[in-house]
Amino acid sequence: MEQETARERVLDAAEGLFYGRGIQTVGMDAVRTSSGVSLKRLYQLFPSKEDLVEAYLRRRDGAWLHRLAAHVEAVPAPRERVLAVFDWLHDWFAEDGYRGCAFVNSFGELGATSPAVARAARDHKEAFLQYLEDLVTAAGLPRRLGAAVGLLAEGAITTSAISGSPEPALRAREAAATLMAAAAPRVTGAA
């Protein structure tokens, strides 16, 4: 039980520090101080900083996708669920401390030198794309439209981080609605 508590404290501290300040600027000593876990215990739990970064990203992936799905699944209409992704993104972008996508940020910092970080970032992006493709298919639209919706979402995430505004989510939502409307006649016309 103590091990899990210490592990969670370390991951909580790492997430706050890595997301807020960047991975390369945060040393293991800062994680130790923030978590209240001894440096010896920290290295028992995570033998290297790369191990800690990968664990942080894997945990964030699950939590991020869960939060998104909980919001989207509360929307009853399948086509509106696709658009609800952008409503959720808008809310996320408006949160205090929003710094863009942790996976893009991590990949930008370490992707060229850390295969584990690159893999975690790719896995997250693939899972997000799969989720969007599933939403689009459930809405009766061509699966390939999920990739376009994904590009809109990814563009909104990056643009919002740089601009400091949640508005890119609304523009991306409008574009997704336009793409869905354009795809819908072909689907019904083919039936």
Side-chain angles (χ1 to χ4, degrees):
M1 185 62 140
E2 167 58 29
Q3 179 175 350
E4 194 59 33
T5 302
R7 179 180 172 78
E8 291 305 310
R9 287 198 329 253
V10 169
L11 287 171
D12 289 345
E15 181 162 3
L17 292 167
F18 292 160
Y19 185 72
R21 295 177 18 200
I23 295 168
Q24 293 188 44
T25 64
V26 174
M28 293 294 267
D29 196 51
V31 175
R32 175 198 57 79
T33 300
S34 181
S35 68
V37 173
S38 73
L39 202 54
K40 179 180 178 183
R41 185 73 179 123
L42 175 59
Y43 279 109
Q44 286 174 341
L45 294 167
F46 302 99
S48 71
K49 185 175 178 182
E50 183 178 40
D51 292 330
L52 177 57
V53 172
E54 183 179 11
Y56 143 69
L57 290 173
R58 296 291 179 188
R59 185 176 82 154
R60 187 171 179 99
D61 171 63
W64 191 90
L65 290 170
H66 177 75
R67 285 178 52 208
L68 171 62
H71 175 85
V72 169
E73 289 167 15
V75 175
R79 289 195 184 183
E80 288 302 313
R81 284 182 174 176
V82 176
L83 299 177
V85 168
F86 297 96
D87 299 333
W88 183 83
L89 289 175
H90 182 270
D91 293 346
W92 177 42
F93 299 166
E95 290 177 3
D96 286 340
Y98 174 73
R99 290 196 60 246
C101 177
F103 301 90
V104 170
N105 296 347
S106 298
F107 186 85
E109 284 192 72
L110 300 173
T113 59
S114 172
V117 169
R119 187 174 47 257
R122 284 186 190 105
D123 289 350
H124 172 75
K125 294 304 180 183
E126 288 172 12
F128 182 44
L129 175 59
Q130 177 73 44
Y131 180 71
L132 294 174
E133 288 175 342
D134 290 348
L135 286 176
V136 165
T137 301
L141 298 165
R143 187 166 193 81
R144 62 180 165 62
L145 186 63
V149 171
L151 288 173
L152 290 169
E154 294 294 346
I157 291 168
T158 301
T159 303
S160 180
I162 293 169
S163 70
S165 167
E167 295 307 305
L170 301 179
R171 302 298 76 80
R173 186 187 199 282
E174 291 170 6
T178 300
L179 288 174
M180 289 169 56
R186 282 183 256 151
V187 171
T188 51

